Amino acid sequence: MKRILTFLLLAGGSAAAQTPTTQSLQDVIELALNRSAVAKQTQTTRDQSYWQWRTYQANYRPQLGLQGTLPGFSRAVAPVVQPDGTTDFRAVRINNSNLAMTVSQNIGLTGGQVFVASEVQRFDDFNGRLKRYNNQPISIGLLQPIGKFNNLRWANRIEPLRYQESQRLYIEEREGIAQRITELYFDVLQQQVNAEVASQNVRANEELLRIGKERYQLGYLSQSDLLRLELNLLNARQAVAQGQLDAQNAAVSLQSYTGLRAETLQLAVPAAAPRLVVPAALALTQARQNRSVVLTFRRRLLQAEREVALARGTTGLQATLSANLGYVNQASNLWDTYATLQSQQQVQLTFALPLVDWGRQKSIIKTAELTHRQVQTDVAQEELSFEQSVQVQAAQLGTLSEQLALTARADSLAQQRYNIAQATYKVGRISLTDLTIASAEKDQARRTYILALRAAWVAHYRLRALTLYDFERQMPLAAQ
């Protein structure tokens, strides 16, 4: 049965005027995942990844563009070639405008591009009262790099992994937030428990001091024991003040992380975490299927391979094949350019080949290959550490659940023993020392139980974050 703590985290006039709100661990986690700044930041990061994915997809879709120069007027003194071949400087007033529309499509497999274009140009010589149109109604072309690095091909292998990775990472970050909130929640709860235990001790010690004074007057209690009772009361009151101070400090951390108002917040002691038996092999299987880090390992290896391909594709022979087929005509009237169109073909191969580079090409490629080898080593080591962390966490889950059950039983027994010791002391059958020991054991058992409860809940959310799997409901977290 849940025990509700009635200790206010922050005392003050404003808190006294407000109605306290009791919050369970699940309530705080849910509210923080919806309201906290860190949760909103994870949402923003996921949205950014989505739009980066849209940008990648757009590179493989047809692109329609319009470009031109309107107007292209110039009034200047420029060199003009004369009929006899000489050059003279003349004052010219011209307009050279153009307008072109292009539809292009990238070819991911080869890294080339095909396009369909239509372009019209107009030239005006205002001094000579000349007007000409040059019209290319349609042209089809190809640009194909040869031996160069194909960025589109590598993006097609890496970007889908990056997008899937971002989706899984979003779920992991939310589970990480739940784990962190659990830690902060129990930080506050631990101080609340300390303050509540101290408050109970104050009331008990006040009663014991009252009885002790009566016995002292009757000569049944020594002055030393009476002084010890007074000291116990003072220590209990000091513990209350310290517990309140520690609870305020812990509440500030919880408030700053979650964005919840701490002035009227009360925390409930959670029930025991779900007692699950998770085989290490099953946890590892789910982690490999669901975790973003698995995709990260693959992406890093591909990126290292990409750097090797980039080193090889930017050194050595570099060539580009361009081909264009279309129709063109020129006339003094725009509509006349569509009559008697003339075919136009262009094929061009440009290349560059370094003949002597003093080992530059070899050095660049060798550096990339060594980096690739180092990434392979790092990924293998990190993958091993990842698998070990999942297996260890799964193995510890059962141990922590058993420890929680033991500390819960110890807490109950210590409380019962203290109640018996207190009643026995009142009738004078045990010493004050025995009662003090029973009280200390009761307090320590309560604190130990809260710490075990914290460890069990933190381990519960940590295993969820490590595997992205809900073993309680038997389903991946992404499906929820």
Side-chain angles (χ1 to χ4, degrees), residues 144-148 316-322 348-355:
Q144 179 58 59
I146 300 176
K148 291 185 177 181
L317 175 64
Q318 301 287 298
T320 300
L321 173 66
S322 60
Q348 185 178 11
L349 178 65
T350 60
F351 68 92
L353 177 64
L355 299 179

Side-chain angles (χ1 to χ4, degrees), residues 414-433:
Q415 182 64 48
Q416 294 177 25
R417 179 177 182 272
Y418 172 73
N419 293 337
I420 295 173
Q422 187 181 36
T424 307
Y425 174 78
K426 290 180 180 180
V427 298
R429 295 179 59 184
I430 64 171
S431 66
L432 180 60
T433 300

Side-chain angles (χ1 to χ4, degrees), residues 5 7 9 188-196 265-267:
L5 298 177
F7 172 69
L9 297 182
V188 179
L189 189 61
Q190 182 70 40
Q191 303 308 324
Q192 286 186 332
V193 168
N194 291 338
E196 185 198 32
L265 184 63
Q266 294 178 346
L267 302 185

Side-chain angles (χ1 to χ4, degrees), residues 77-92 125:
V77 175
V80 178
V81 179
Q82 302 300 306
D84 59 359
T86 61
T87 300
D88 192 12
F89 288 91
R90 299 289 182 89
V92 296
D125 183 353

Side-chain angles (χ1 to χ4, degrees), residues 25 142 149 253 260 284-285 325 344 352 379 440:
L25 175 60
L142 169 69
F149 173 70
S253 299
L260 303 177
L284 185 58
T285 300
L325 171 65
Q344 175 180 271
V379 166

Side-chain angles (χ1 to χ4, degrees), residues 3-11 20-25 28 182-201 203 236 239-252 254 261-270 442-443 446-447 450-451 453-454:
R3 182 183 176 192
I4 306 301
L5 298 177
T6 58
F7 172 69
L8 291 180
L9 297 182
L10 295 179
T21 303
T22 301
Q23 300 284 1
S24 67
L25 175 60
V28 175
T182 301
E183 295 171 349
L184 295 173
Y185 184 96
F186 277 97
D187 286 345
V188 179
L189 189 61
Q190 182 70 40
Q191 303 308 324
Q192 286 186 332
V193 168
N194 291 338
E196 185 198 32
V197 168
S199 298
Q200 293 174 351
N201 290 339
R203 293 190 295 270
V240 170
Q242 185 63 46
Q244 291 176 349
L245 180 62
D246 293 339
Q248 290 177 12
N249 294 332
V252 169
L254 179 63
R261 297 183 59 183
E263 290 83 356
T264 59
L265 184 63
Q266 294 178 346
L267 302 185
V269 177
K442 170 193 60 96
D443 297 347
R446 186 60 179 168
R447 296 187 182 98
I450 296 298
L451 290 175
L453 190 62
R454 169 198 174 112

Side-chain angles (χ1 to χ4, degrees), residues 105-114 142-145 150 152 321:
Q105 173 66 60
N106 292 325
I107 307 173
L109 183 62
T110 64
Q113 183 185 77
V114 294
L142 169 69
L143 292 175
Q144 179 58 59
N150 186 354
L152 292 174
L321 173 66

